[in-house]
Amino acid sequence: MTRADAVVVGAGLAGLAAARDLEAGGAQVTVVEARPRVGGRVEQVQGPDGRRIQLGGEVVGSAHTSYLGLVGELGLTLTSSYVTEPGEITRQIPGSVDIGEWPSWCTPADREASVKVQEALAKVLASIDPDDPWSCPDLERLDRLSVGDWLREVGATPGVLRLWELSHLSLSDGSIERQSLFAYARKTVVGGTTGSYDVEQWENLRVAEGSATVALRMAEGLRDVRLATPVRRVQIKPSGTLVTTEAGEQLHADAVVIAVPSGPARDIDFEGVSHARLASLRRQRHAWAAKFVAAYDEPFWRTRGQNALSECEGILGSTWPQQHGVISALIPPERYAAFVAAEPETRTREALAQIADLYGSQASTPLQTWTRLWGTDPWAQGYVTNWCPGDVMAVGPLHGTHEPPLYVCGSDQWVAGYMEGAVRTGRGAAAAALAGK
Ligand SMILES: Cc1cc2nc3c(=O)[nH]c(=O)nc-3n(C[C@H](O)[C@H](O)[C@H](O)COP(=O)(O)OP(=O)(O)OC[C@H]3O[C@@H](n4cnc5c(N)ncnc54)[C@H](O)[C@@H]3O)c2cc1C
């Protein structure tokens, strides 16, 4: 049996940030990670010409203060993300590809309705306190309501509904018909905006060395990170905590930090943890999404006045320029089953055909492509949380809180997910554990 002050389960951004702060606070820490690498949902591979290709989390925004602070501490560099790419957005639905702010199928009546929807949204947002979303007087109703139902309630036309659905599919965290209005509004408010999702707050920056380098850099500074060591059991006893790995090794500690997504958390046996805590921890569901990346010599889309940013109704829900000559794309949950059902060569061919439909035939001949199926990865079991109608109330106010000596962190433990959520909650868990709270 090994002994530590704290065992951290999971070496994603959250677990690593927690371990780093715990060690800085003088604790003896052991990190146990199921995969043979650190980073979790941030992962990078070496592409052609040495480009570092991101297969997981990629961009951050000005509102992501914890993440930006950590990047500074690690001596890494922030640079502009796709938002500075010249050219215009593209929208693709069956039968049409439109370049520019408004697609051709949006009528003047749709534009008018869109303004009214924004006004109605501003009222919802004003009812939520970013520092205490739980105090919202209308929380239960807003959580029960799907974004789609609310849009119809406030007079959205079919064109506006379709625009919102396209935009939600592009983020791949669930259709407007399967997303809680409260969850959507809470995330928007916490990002510091009074209108709908603002890319400046959420997506305007990226780490020049590669977002997965943040995880690698943190791990380099830690004393004891055990890879390929899945945890099976966590027991909270009066004498301390006992963590048992799949191989049967036992790690004894004063505290344990759970830094795994809710899917894998359901597969761990917990003992000595309250029923309410476990119910909350395991209640979240994840959007099953995949990422597809294609690397080219040059950003060929620029000659057509496009910025490689798109919202689509094909097998891909969105594309954006990851870096010079590289296109990232997401396969949203609504299309995931159809994507995974095909064998890998067919998936690649169909994804490239869609990119060619958007940006021209040069898209069909990339230097290399990568596909990462996050939805069915056993150690992620999804991409980000999909807050369905009613889920905020069902997960309840224990979300993101601790039950000492059990501490909980991870992007799914923050109201909005993202790499920011991982770092913020990881550092928060370490601070709470060091203070014994
Ligand atoms: C395709 C994709 C694109 C994304 N894009 C962005 C983006 O652009 N910007 C952004 O901010 N966010 C983005 N995200 C979200 C962001 O990457 C994640 O929210 C964040 O990285 C999660 O960090 P985490 O530490 O909370 O969880 P994870 O990274 O999932 O880490 C959990 C760790 O626990 C390990 N683990 C699981 N079970 C066990 C077990 N039983 N025993 C031991 N270890 C275990 C896992 O292997 C993993 O390493 C994206 C995510 C994906 C998948």
Side-chain angles (χ1 to χ4, degrees):
M1 190 187 301
T2 323
R3 230 213 107 74
D5 294 326
V7 171
V8 176
V9 183
L13 289 174
L16 293 168
R20 182 172 177 269
D21 282 2
L22 282 165
E23 278 197 6
Q28 184 83 32
V29 183
T30 296
V31 181
V32 269
E33 165 54 48
R35 292 187 174 105
R37 61 168 182 87
V38 300
R41 280 173 278 167
V42 294
E43 180 179 2
Q44 65 198 9
V45 290
Q46 193 87 351
D49 333 323
R51 281 178 283 187
R52 282 191 193 132
I53 305 292
Q54 303 304 314
L55 302 182
E58 212 183 291
V59 293
V60 291
S62 301
H64 297 175
T65 50
S66 297
Y67 183 90
L68 300 180
L70 174 67
V71 167
E73 287 171 32
L74 294 171
L76 297 171
T77 327
L78 287 164
T79 185
S80 292
S81 70
Y82 70 84
V83 295
T84 50
E85 179 76 12
E88 292 198 272
I89 188 172
T90 306
R91 287 202 187 76
Q92 180 194 48
I93 64 167
S96 83
V97 174
D98 287 298
I99 303 170
E101 195 189 343
W102 291 94
S104 58
W105 41 269
C106 261
T107 63
D110 290 331
R111 294 187 190 202
E112 219 173 282
S114 187
V115 173
K116 291 210 173 98
V117 163
Q118 287 304 328
E119 286 165 7
L121 180 64
K123 284 190 194 140
V124 174
L125 299 183
S127 72
I128 301 173
D129 175 357
D131 297 322
D132 183 15
W134 285 98
S135 66
C136 174
D138 215 10
L139 194 161
E140 243 181 287
R141 189 184 72 84
L142 296 178
D143 184 37
R144 262 198 320 268
L145 204 54
S146 72
V147 172
D149 280 341
W150 171 79
L151 282 168
R152 281 180 286 274
E153 217 176 82
V154 298
T157 53
V160 171
L161 279 159
R162 196 163 195 175
L163 271 178
W164 272 66
E165 180 70 340
L166 268 168
S167 142
H168 280 241
L169 290 183
S170 79
L171 290 175
S172 288
D173 57 354
S175 158
I176 54 171
E177 309 301 348
R178 280 175 293 285
Q179 193 171 49
S180 147
L181 176 65
F182 182 78
Y184 171 73
R186 161 177 89 163
K187 168 177 157 181
T188 308
V189 164
V190 166
T193 30
T194 51
S196 49
Y197 189 80
D198 178 353
V199 292
E200 290 298 323
Q201 294 295 322
W202 292 93
E203 303 190 358
N204 64 348
L205 295 164
R206 67 183 174 90
V207 172
E209 295 86 352
S211 67
T213 305
V214 175
L216 296 170
R217 190 67 64 89
M218 280 197 284
E220 274 165 25
L222 295 172
R223 278 191 289 261
D224 186 11
V225 180
R226 303 187 188 180
L227 300 177
T229 310
V231 165
R232 272 286 144 253
R233 193 164 205 214
V234 173
Q235 292 163 283
I236 308 294
K237 299 169 175 237
S239 54
T241 68
L242 189 62
V243 173
T244 307
T245 69
E246 205 160 72
E249 190 188 353
Q250 295 195 316
L251 308 166
H252 196 70
D254 294 332
V256 62
V257 179
I258 302 298
V260 307
S262 49
R266 289 194 281 266
D267 296 336
I268 296 175
D269 292 331
F270 286 93
E271 204 182 289
V273 178
S274 73
H275 175 74
R277 162 79 40 196
L278 281 185
S280 170
L281 191 61
R282 291 169 164 168
R283 177 60 176 75
Q284 280 182 50
R285 66 186 99 192
H286 269 197
W288 281 21
K291 186 164 176 177
F292 179 80
V293 182
Y296 302 90
D297 279 328
E298 290 299 327
F300 57 89
W301 49 86
R302 286 183 184 169
T303 55
R304 298 161 51 109
Q306 291 170 287
N307 59 10
L309 188 64
S310 70
E311 297 177 348
C312 321
E313 288 183 358
I315 200 80
L316 307 178
S318 57
T319 66
W320 67 96
Q322 177 179 133
Q323 53 181 291
H324 191 83
V326 178
I327 287 186
S328 288
L330 283 173
I331 291 87
E334 283 68 20
R335 314 273 150 74
Y336 190 80
F339 187 68
V340 177
E343 46 86 41
E345 222 174 280
T346 306
R347 283 179 213 150
T348 302
R349 188 167 24 82
E350 290 177 354
L352 288 176
Q354 189 180 334
I355 300 177
D357 195 26
L358 288 162
Y359 307 121
S361 57
Q362 273 174 280
S364 315
T365 50
L367 299 170
Q368 198 170 337
T369 65
W370 297 264
T371 299
R372 191 71 168 81
L373 302 175
W374 289 101
T376 36
D377 176 310
W379 306 116
Q381 298 185 32
Y383 144 78
V384 294
T385 304
N386 172 203
W387 294 99
C388 285
D391 279 3
V392 172
M393 289 301 293
V395 170
L398 288 180
H399 183 229
T401 65
H402 312 293
E403 190 172 301
L406 178 104
Y407 297 85
V408 179
C409 61
S411 62
D412 310 294
Q413 298 301 318
W414 190 47
V415 294
Y418 288 75
M419 297 187 286
E420 167 68 10
V423 174
R424 188 183 280 238
T425 59
R427 301 197 96 165
L434 287 168
K437 285 193 219 148

